[in-house]
Amino acid sequence: IRTLKKNQTSKMTLDEAPPNEGTSLLQTHNSTNEAAEDSIHRLGHLSQSSRTGDVGDFSRESHSIADMSRTTHNDPDVREVAEDLSKLVGSTQILFNEMEKVTSDKVNASLRKSAALNSPAPAGRQSFASTMYQHKSQSAVMFLEKVKTSFFEDAKSLAVGTIPQSIVVAISVGIACGIACWAYYAVLFFLLEFLWETLPEMLIGGWSTGQWIWIPLMSSILSICVGLTVVYMGEPGDLPYTVGRVHHFAYIPMDHVLPMVFASLFSILAGGSLGPEAPLVAICGAIGGFISRKVFRQNHVDVVRKHTLMGMAGALAAFFGAPLGGSIFALEVCSRFGVEYFEHLVEAIFCGEICLVVFRGMSGLTIAPIWDFTSEEYPRIMEIQPTLVLYGALIGLLGAFAAYVFATFHWKVMGYFSSKGLMDNSRAVQRAMHGAIFIIICGLVYPQTMFWGEEEIGVVANMDPASKLPNIYPTSGLIGFEMDTPFRAFQVGLAKFVAISFTVAGGLRGGFIFPLMFAGACFGRALHPFLPDSVPLQVSVLCMAAGINVAITRTALASTLILAFLPGEPFCIPAVLMASLCSLFATAYLPFIKTQITRADIDHSLFHEKHVIDAEQKLDDDD
């Protein structure tokens, strides 16, 4: 039995409570509910004052979390949710009204649970735990009992939560998400080639000067399209919103899919420093939850959450081409310190494999590294010395510091946009144009900063000429900038931070995983000349990319696997892992994605103090 809510005065567990303490526990519980209701009241006021219209009714799906069966998994405390969400800006504010809708149900369920727990204890030495289990029909907790004895019996019924059901759902979700990823990928790269290669060659390819005009022209038009999408199609959501939905509602409404598809495509095509990974996570997560609830008719919160995470894992496994790293990323990004939804890990990885096969097979893409950092001076690493692990720790800490600088700058930028009243969706077009101004300036001066950086990382890590840059036209930008010195690499890294921040603040939709890795590659390249000759270029670049990405996304394990796979450098894993872990520890109290929260049933092992209560002072004879 878990402890009572963290903000109660007493920290006694149910088993430790004295036989006659029922009244005091119930009174304390009621005071907690009053505090929660007060927090939600303030939350609702903030939501109504910060947006126009009833965004809580955005999701028109009739299937509500209030209708789902509860399991032994603890959902987050209502007051903590209020405090966490009250710090958010942007699209994640859509969570506010939806949380308010289910608050009354949560409070009523808590009161029913308290009443059940305060019933007279049966004769004999029985704990509160056994009493609650025997009378679970009177409790707000549902226990899932495995009653089948073999795989074939479970396969006949596809009972809730069984291995056969997980296999069937994982295959279904993997196939559906693989097809969705293929369609998104095909449209994205067709439009990229047409708008940034074919069309400019047709229209201005013969110009001797002035070709740089294509960058501000296309970025402005497509940024306006992003704003119009938000205004007329509705809120697309973003990565923090997706994470919040997984925690608090277990699924992502299908209403978000079409707005996310259009908004993210326009954002990426505009040259913003956000990639397709987060949109695919939201889209495939919604598909996974939809299949769970509508096709397989699941109504258990944990089961629906598992299937939603399957879809998210499938998207990242397919996109990165690394099934293990991509799948773990989907689960790890939901929390601030490791994989907390560990019970869903195996099924999510299996779904990731299925989605990877479908997507890569339909796209005609092989599963192989996409970057090559090798040269005559820096051949592929086949072994490393233990000292490189220590250098990885140092570089990871430098990456954590760079991430801290970025986060501080970004919140200043978000504060500026908020002070101008641009965070309301009714002003999405103006917001997008404000962000596009800085995207265009960075792109004209530093063309390497345009787009999300997946293919550009190989160019900057090797200091190749700008003519090798993919997607952008013209590759020379306005002034013909070349990244050919460590100082210029440092400049590009700073410019990428600026581009990422204003892309996010401008309301453009996409993921910042590859953009952060790109910035890390630039800083790692700038740092390398100052390291001993024994430190290979690959270690400097990958460790810095890991340090920055982990500090922001909190994905130490997944980032290590992905960054070792994409350049084909598996022997870098010890150094990159150390960089990731040191960055994770160094930024443990710097949450960038505010909706990343700790699971309530394991919260006392992470980020919480141990409180020693003197029972004589807190309880009197009347209690």
Side-chain angles (χ1 to χ4, degrees):
I1 304 301
R2 68 177 176 91
T3 57
L4 295 177
K5 293 186 176 181
K6 293 190 291 290
N7 55 340
Q8 291 182 350
T9 302
S10 174
K11 286 290 182 179
M12 290 186 297
T13 63
L14 296 177
D15 281 332
E16 295 170 346
N20 296 324
E21 297 304 331
T23 304
S24 64
L25 290 177
L26 183 57
Q27 289 174 346
T28 308
H29 191 78
N30 289 338
S31 65
T32 300
N33 290 333
E34 292 174 1
E37 289 176 335
D38 180 65
S39 297
I40 292 297
H41 175 75
R42 296 195 308 271
L43 186 73
H45 176 74
L46 174 61
S47 173
Q48 294 171 4
S49 63
S50 61
R51 302 177 65 85
T52 57
D54 186 8
V55 297
D57 293 332
F58 174 77
S59 175
R60 294 179 292 276
E61 293 194 27
S62 59
H63 199 112
S64 170
I65 192 172
D67 301 327
M68 295 185 183
S69 301
R70 296 290 177 181
T71 69
T72 53
H73 172 73
N74 253 335
D75 282 336
D77 180 79
V78 175
R79 181 170 180 175
E80 290 185 0
V81 170
E83 292 175 349
D84 230 3
L85 295 182
S86 64
K87 302 175 184 177
L88 299 178
V89 294
S91 64
T92 49
Q93 288 181 349
I94 196 173
L95 283 167
F96 288 179
N97 284 356
E98 298 195 41
M99 284 301 301
E100 192 175 12
K101 286 181 179 180
V102 301
T103 300
S104 59
D105 294 333
K106 285 191 174 185
V107 172
N108 292 336
S110 299
L111 293 174
R112 289 196 302 270
K113 184 189 297 185
S114 296
L117 294 177
N118 282 277
S119 59
R125 297 184 60 185
Q126 283 188 305
S127 66
F128 276 77
S130 60
T131 302
M132 187 168 65
Y133 182 79
Q134 292 176 358
H135 300 282
K136 56 183 177 290
S137 60
Q138 303 173 12
S139 171
V141 178
M142 173 173 288
F143 291 80
L144 298 181
E145 301 176 357
K146 297 293 192 300
V147 295
K148 303 299 181 182
T149 58
S150 71
F151 179 88
F152 297 102
E153 290 184 17
D154 279 343
K156 290 179 182 178
S157 62
L158 290 182
V160 175
T162 59
I163 293 176
Q165 187 204 51
S166 294
I167 293 174
V168 172
V169 175
I171 293 174
S172 303
V173 172
I175 293 174
C177 292
I179 296 173
C181 289
W182 167 79
Y184 188 97
Y185 175 90
V187 173
L188 172 61
F189 280 89
F190 169 79
L191 292 175
L192 269 176
E193 182 179 1
F194 178 75
L195 294 177
W196 288 95
E197 184 177 340
T198 305
L199 191 59
E201 284 289 348
M202 291 172 52
L203 298 179
I204 62 174
W207 292 11
S208 58
T209 59
Q211 291 181 335
W212 58 267
I213 195 65
W214 192 255
I215 295 175
L217 178 64
M218 291 306 301
S219 291
S220 299
I221 293 175
L222 292 167
S223 295
I224 292 174
C225 290
V226 175
L228 293 175
T229 299
V230 175
V231 172
Y232 292 105
M233 296 190 68
E235 173 60 53
D238 54 12
L239 181 59
Y241 173 74
T242 299
V243 171
R245 290 288 315 192
V246 170
H247 283 305
H248 307 308
F249 298 92
Y251 70 96
I252 304 162
M254 289 296 291
D255 295 346
H256 294 289
V257 171
L258 279 181
M260 177 57 83
V261 168
F262 283 93
S264 62
L265 285 176
F266 288 137
S267 300
I268 297 169
L269 295 171
S273 288
L274 293 175
E277 58 270 25
L280 288 176
V281 166
I283 293 167
C284 292
I287 292 174
F290 178 83
I291 291 175
S292 176
R293 294 176 293 115
K294 302 301 183 181
V295 177
F296 289 91
R297 300 295 180 182
Q298 300 303 298
N299 64 350
H300 292 275
V301 174
D302 280 346
V303 176
V304 174
R305 183 182 285 116
K306 173 170 66 176
H307 300 158
T308 299
L309 289 170
M310 284 182 180
M312 296 167 60
L316 290 178
F319 179 73
F320 289 124
L324 184 59
S327 300
I328 293 177
F329 198 107
L331 276 72
E332 205 172 9
V333 77
C334 293
S335 306
R336 295 179 182 176
F337 210 79
V339 180
E340 295 188 12
Y341 287 119
F342 47 83
E343 70 270 34
H344 306 320
L345 183 61
V346 174
E347 294 101 323
I349 295 173
F350 177 68
C351 182
E353 288 276 17
I354 299 297
C355 188
L356 172 73
V357 171
V358 174
F359 167 69
R360 296 273 166 165
M362 295 182 68
S363 304
L365 300 173
T366 59
I367 303 171
I370 60 174
W371 305 326
D372 185 7
F373 299 157
T374 61
S375 62
E376 292 184 3
E377 186 179 1
Y378 305 110
R380 192 167 304 280
I381 298 175
M382 300 306 297
E383 62 179 14
I384 66 170
Q385 297 298 322
T387 54
L388 288 182
V389 178
L390 300 180
Y391 279 111
L394 174 62
I395 298 171
L397 291 175
L398 292 175
F401 175 74
Y404 167 76
V405 173
F406 165 73
T408 303
F409 172 76
H410 177 68
W411 293 125
K412 295 291 185 182
V413 173
M414 295 296 290
Y416 167 77
F417 274 71
S418 180
S419 67
K420 297 298 181 181
L422 297 173
M423 304 307 294
D424 194 288
N425 279 355
S426 64
R427 302 192 64 190
V429 175
Q430 296 94 316
R431 179 185 178 186
M433 285 307 302
H434 273 71
I437 292 173
F438 291 89
I439 296 172
I440 293 168
I441 293 174
C442 290
L444 288 174
V445 180
Y446 304 103
Q448 292 86 350
T449 62
M450 292 289 285
F451 300 97
W452 67 98
E454 177 185 3
E455 299 176 60
E456 289 83 353
I457 288 177
V459 177
V460 299
N462 296 314
M463 284 192 177
D464 289 334
S467 59
K468 291 189 176 182
L469 289 172
N471 304 322
I472 188 171
Y473 185 94
T475 58
S476 58
L478 176 62
I479 62 175
F481 176 85
E482 293 288 349
M483 200 192 86
D484 50 10
T485 66
F487 179 67
R488 290 193 168 192
F490 182 76
Q491 287 180 290
V492 173
L494 290 179
K496 190 66 172 179
F497 273 168
V498 174
I500 295 171
S501 182
F502 279 95
T503 302
V504 174
L508 277 68
R509 297 316 199 266
F512 40 68
I513 300 170
F514 271 127
L516 292 172
M517 291 180 178
F518 175 93
C522 293
F523 291 130
R525 182 71 209 204
L527 176 66
H528 183 255
F530 302 96
L531 296 173
D533 294 338
S534 60
V535 180
L537 173 66
Q538 296 94 314
V539 171
S540 177
V541 169
L542 295 177
C543 288
M544 184 63 76
I548 293 176
N549 187 64
V550 169
I552 299 299
T553 63
R554 322 299 302 156
T555 54
L557 303 179
S559 294
T560 299
L561 295 173
I562 293 169
L563 283 169
F565 177 82
L566 294 182
E569 296 286 357
F571 288 95
C572 285
I573 286 180
V576 177
L577 179 60
M578 180 59 81
S580 298
L581 293 174
C582 289
S583 177
L584 185 72
F585 291 139
T587 58
Y589 298 93
L590 178 70
F592 185 81
I593 303 175
K594 301 296 185 181
T595 51
Q596 290 175 325
I597 59 174
T598 305
R599 280 178 60 166
D601 50 353
I602 60 175
D603 54 8
H604 292 287
S605 63
L606 292 172
F607 298 108
H608 291 275
E609 296 177 335
K610 179 180 179 181
H611 296 276
V612 179
I613 304 298
D614 187 345
E616 293 182 358
Q617 294 180 3
K618 298 298 180 182
L619 303 175
D620 55 35
D621 293 338
D622 294 335
D623 292 329

